[in-house]
Amino acid sequence: MRRLAAFAMCTCVAFPLHAQDDAPTDPDAPAQDASPAPADQPQEPAPRSARAPVPLVPEGATWDSFHGQLSAQKYSPLTEITAENVGRLEKVWEVHTGDVSDGSGDLPTSVWSATPVYANETLYLGTPFYRIFALDPATGEERWTYDSGTPLEAMTQPALKNRGVAYWEAEEPAEGEPCQKIVYLGTMNAQLHAVDADTGALCEEFGDGGVLDVNQWNDTNDRWPLSLLQPPTVTGDQLIIGWAGKDWASAEAPPGTVFSVDARTGELGWTVNFIPEEMRPQTGTANVWTAMSVDEELGLAYLPVSSPSPNYWGGNRKEEIPLATSVTAVDLQTGEVEWSYQIVHHDIWDYDTNSAPTLMDITVDGEEIPALMQASKMGFLFVLNRETGEPVWPIEEREVPAGDIASEYYAPTQPFPTRPAPLLDQSEKPGVWWAADLVSLGGCSRLVEDGTYRGMYTPPTTDAPGTLAFPDSAGGVQWGGVAFDPESQTAIMNTSRILQVIQLVPRGEYEEVATGSGNKTGFSPQEGAPYGMQLFTALNWLGMPCWEPPYGELVAIDMTTGEQKWRRPIGASQKFGFYMPESMGSPTIGGPAVTAGGVIFIGSTMDAKVRAYDLETGEELWEDTVMAPAVANPAVYEHEGRQYVAFVAGGNTIIKDQLGDQVAVYALPEDD
């Protein structure tokens, strides 16, 4: 029997979850809501494909989704490129899409984090101008493009943003019929476009003439569109759709909902809501804005659920929301919640569950375990049995500090995994970097000394200069997630060490002091709450980090023991033309890929380089410079017998004002 692992504010309890109608009615029991479709929509379960389940580990080279495979392992069984020859890798083609903006003209800044998708013997990409490019995988020659005609406005985000496209094909394509293979592109204004993968023409039977308006289901706290920045998850003949909102803006926001629709028609099958119905009018989000993973053999989708609104004050949501900031498993056919594990109780730190959990079969103490690893912004790695939701290694509820805001509720405990060890020490303030402190004439020391810090879960405060957030909401492991090599049972992830400062500003003062905001920094209103907020990274006047390095690392973990195999700084921090030593590392956005050739590929760093590392030792084996930081996961694919590695170099102003529109593809020389 599958189980619901539910975690109240100070307990860890697992109990059976029966059919929805027989769910526990105890008021202290966790709320769960697999809501039926609206009355004007079909209420039948989404169709379950009769096709054979997709295996957890690909039998052949597969990179037809955001994380390569539905398991989110980001693993390729290809062996042409190895640790011995990767140093000979060369760029064999590049394409510039033209879809880039630095924000200096009429268009907002662009952020491009799209993983290339290889399917149908074609490389497909979505762009931040909401176009699709279909390219020859060997040469980059354009086969077709599709322009969605979406208004280029920053409706919910501080920048134009896109993480790529999704691909579906019929199990037995009907010869001569259109749209037997479909590419899907989501837009910031909540429109999902479906186009024929061979021609780029709209699929007329999908939605309304080829476009599904997901915003038609935005019926509570409709303050902004349900932005489709992450491509949907394709499993069988259904699409599972999450959405992105507007962070830090409002206490009342659209409540988090995931939709399952028919891949051919866009008809709604089921929905899952993560906030109890009676609480939805007063709060919102707790949505899934990032990628998801699927185990088709178990019939489960794994949903990384974000925090409720507003992010840094929770006085409007003191009641339990057990599915918020969680990893939640739902039945693929019905959307029923099978189990859920909450990784942060009463989240007031914007510690969204921000990446797809990586599914892996591991051997622990001689026992074969169907597991998943959920990485987190906190630098914790939660390892659970993906069938039951139960921890593989103990996870302890530990006391955490309370704050001084009278209208707030503070969870007395938080879950702390005992293994693997945290990726960074959150128990005390990070040390001050002497060079930045010297340049600031002691300003860095004063900031760190005066900031409030009693461990990682120190609540936000109104006291100046504010609470030190370490790790912050951009630190730990970001949405690129964890890669996994099934042969050696090694998990690989990149992590950032970033110190930020958060201060709550009483509503009466906020309008007087708020001076605007940038990409995840500055002032944000939290409208409807008694406090706005200010957030800034702890930099000196020259932009140097006030805290000690390393600022980013690459880490490998032996999943048979939970112990670290190796860790090393990754990349070089760079600003104003000055590169810090690579021993200090760089903050990172985007994640790694790993191959059976024993090679890890990753971009993600400030210095706009793409790199290869030895899986066994962590040694850097190869690097090349691209147009901008490659803040997208790489793709590894085989076309006509040759192995390629593709990087999108689009940049992200969160780490650096260097943007690009480049697709750079590498292979070994043909004479190798």
Side-chain angles (χ1 to χ4, degrees), residues 432-456:
V432 175
W433 183 29
W434 66 268
D437 198 39
L438 181 65
V439 171
S440 67
L441 302 179
C444 285
S445 290
R446 290 189 293 274
L447 175 64
V448 173
E449 181 178 345
D450 294 343
T452 302
Y453 194 78
R454 290 179 289 152
M456 179 180 60

Side-chain angles (χ1 to χ4, degrees), residues 74-368:
K74 297 171 279 292
Y75 168 77
S76 172
L78 294 173
T79 58
E80 179 183 344
I81 300 171
T82 67
E84 288 70 36
N85 64 22
V86 69
R88 290 175 49 78
L89 215 60
E90 61 183 17
K91 185 164 60 181
V92 293
W93 62 263
E94 66 177 293
V95 165
H96 294 268
T97 68
D99 291 5
V100 62
S101 170
D102 63 5
S104 62
D106 295 334
L107 298 179
T109 300
S110 59
V111 169
W112 195 22
S113 312
T115 300
V117 166
Y118 176 79
N120 194 32
E121 298 187 344
T122 304
L123 201 65
Y124 298 103
L125 298 119
T127 79
F129 287 11
Y130 309 111
R131 295 200 296 161
I132 303 173
F133 280 74
L135 306 176
D136 184 299
T139 66
E141 180 181 356
E142 183 180 303
R143 292 180 173 171
W144 55 259
T145 61
Y146 170 78
D147 189 340
S148 68
T150 302
L152 300 183
E153 302 172 9
M155 302 171 188
T156 59
Q157 306 289 304
L160 302 174
K161 186 181 293 186
N162 173 266
R163 292 205 180 107
V165 297
Y167 176 84
W168 168 89
E169 66 177 53
E171 184 176 18
E172 297 180 358
E175 188 174 351
E177 292 293 319
C179 296
Q180 302 299 289
K181 303 173 182 178
I182 300 176
V183 178
Y184 305 91
L185 173 75
T187 66
M188 195 175 293
N189 63 349
Q191 308 299 297
L192 185 62
H193 295 244
V195 303
D196 187 294
D198 290 324
T199 66
L202 278 169
C203 294
E204 298 291 335
E205 294 184 0
F206 184 85
D208 183 6
V211 182
L212 175 65
D213 179 13
V214 174
N215 216 50
Q216 66 182 292
W217 303 312
N218 187 4
D219 56 9
T220 304
N221 300 333
D222 180 8
R223 294 174 177 267
W224 47 74
L226 307 181
S227 294
L228 308 179
L229 309 178
Q230 180 73 37
T233 298
V234 180
T235 173
D237 292 325
Q238 64 179 308
L239 312 178
I240 305 178
I241 304 170
W243 53 267
K246 193 172 185 179
D247 281 348
W248 312 346
S250 179
E252 298 175 2
T257 307
V258 163
F259 309 96
S260 172
V261 306
D262 185 280
R264 294 179 176 86
T265 66
E267 291 185 0
L268 185 63
W270 50 255
T271 65
V272 179
N273 292 284
F274 303 102
I275 299 176
E277 185 174 4
E278 66 276 9
M279 294 183 65
R280 292 172 201 161
Q282 69 204 49
T283 180
T285 59
N287 55 318
V288 177
W289 56 261
T290 188
M292 300 170 248
S293 49
V294 173
D295 185 330
E296 289 191 343
E297 290 190 353
L298 289 178
L300 295 176
Y302 302 91
L303 314 182
V305 185
S306 73
S307 58
S309 63
N311 295 98
Y312 294 101
W313 177 79
N316 64 325
R317 47 180 173 88
K318 295 181 181 180
E319 301 90 342
E320 293 184 30
I321 309 178
L323 301 184
T325 318
S326 73
V327 53
T328 293
V330 302
D331 186 280
L332 278 176
Q333 188 171 8
T334 66
E336 180 180 358
V337 174
E338 295 291 332
W339 60 258
S340 183
Y341 198 107
Q342 187 170 66
I343 67 172
V344 181
H345 308 317
H346 191 69
D347 189 349
I348 50 174
W349 300 272
D350 191 27
Y351 280 154
D352 294 345
T353 315
N354 63 345
S355 63
T358 301
L359 314 184
M360 53 184 70
D361 292 334
I362 58 177
T363 306
V364 179
D365 296 330
E367 180 185 0
E368 299 289 334

Side-chain angles (χ1 to χ4, degrees), residues 380-622:
F380 285 142
L381 302 168
F382 294 84
V383 184
L384 308 174
N385 184 308
R386 68 176 180 273
E387 188 169 6
T388 66
E390 296 170 348
V392 171
W393 291 291
I395 299 175
E396 300 175 351
E397 287 286 328
R398 299 178 186 172
E399 292 185 2
V400 293
D404 56 3
I405 305 296
S407 60
E408 182 62 272
Y409 169 81
Y410 300 101
T413 67
Q414 296 290 350
F416 284 71
T418 59
R419 188 179 299 184
L423 294 174
L424 63 164
D425 183 1
Q426 319 110 323
S427 62
E428 56 186 33
K429 295 180 181 181
V432 175
W433 183 29
W434 66 268
D437 198 39
L438 181 65
V439 171
S440 67
L441 302 179
C444 285
S445 290
R446 290 189 293 274
L447 175 64
V448 173
E449 181 178 345
D450 294 343
T452 302
Y453 194 78
R454 290 179 289 152
M456 179 180 60
Y457 288 109
T458 304
T461 181
T462 57
D463 295 338
T467 294
L468 301 181
F470 181 75
D472 75 314
S473 66
V477 179
Q478 269 294 321
W479 51 260
V482 175
F484 180 69
D485 171 49
E487 294 299 320
S488 63
Q489 298 193 26
T490 302
I492 308 101
M493 71 285 311
N494 51 300
T495 184
S496 298
R497 298 178 74 254
I498 300 173
L499 177 65
Q500 290 189 326
V501 184
I502 301 166
Q503 184 179 10
L504 295 179
V505 183
R507 181 61 56 202
E509 303 173 17
Y510 180 82
E511 302 301 332
E512 299 178 5
V513 300
T515 56
S517 61
N519 193 354
K520 302 297 184 183
T521 188
F523 288 90
S524 293
Q526 299 194 141
E527 294 175 355
Y531 302 94
M533 50 84 68
Q534 181 187 18
L535 182 148
F536 61 89
T537 303
L539 308 175
N540 67 14
W541 64 272
L542 194 58
M544 300 169 67
C546 282
W547 66 101
E548 289 180 331
Y551 305 116
E553 293 180 290
L554 192 63
V555 183
I557 295 176
D558 182 342
M559 292 305 298
T560 66
T561 64
E563 300 294 333
Q564 290 185 9
K565 296 178 68 171
W566 52 261
R567 64 187 301 160
R568 54 156 297 141
I570 178 174
S573 297
Q574 185 266 331
K575 198 167 185 178
F576 305 128
F578 173 72
Y579 287 85
M580 297 182 189
E582 289 196 14
S583 61
M584 300 172 71
S586 164
T588 63
I589 296 179
V594 62
T595 76
V599 181
I600 301 164
F601 291 103
I602 188 169
S604 84
T605 54
M606 287 182 71
D607 55 11
K609 290 185 178 181
V610 293
R611 293 177 167 87
Y613 294 91
D614 188 296
L615 171 64
E616 184 61 31
T617 66
E619 178 188 358
E620 183 177 318
L621 304 173
W622 168 86

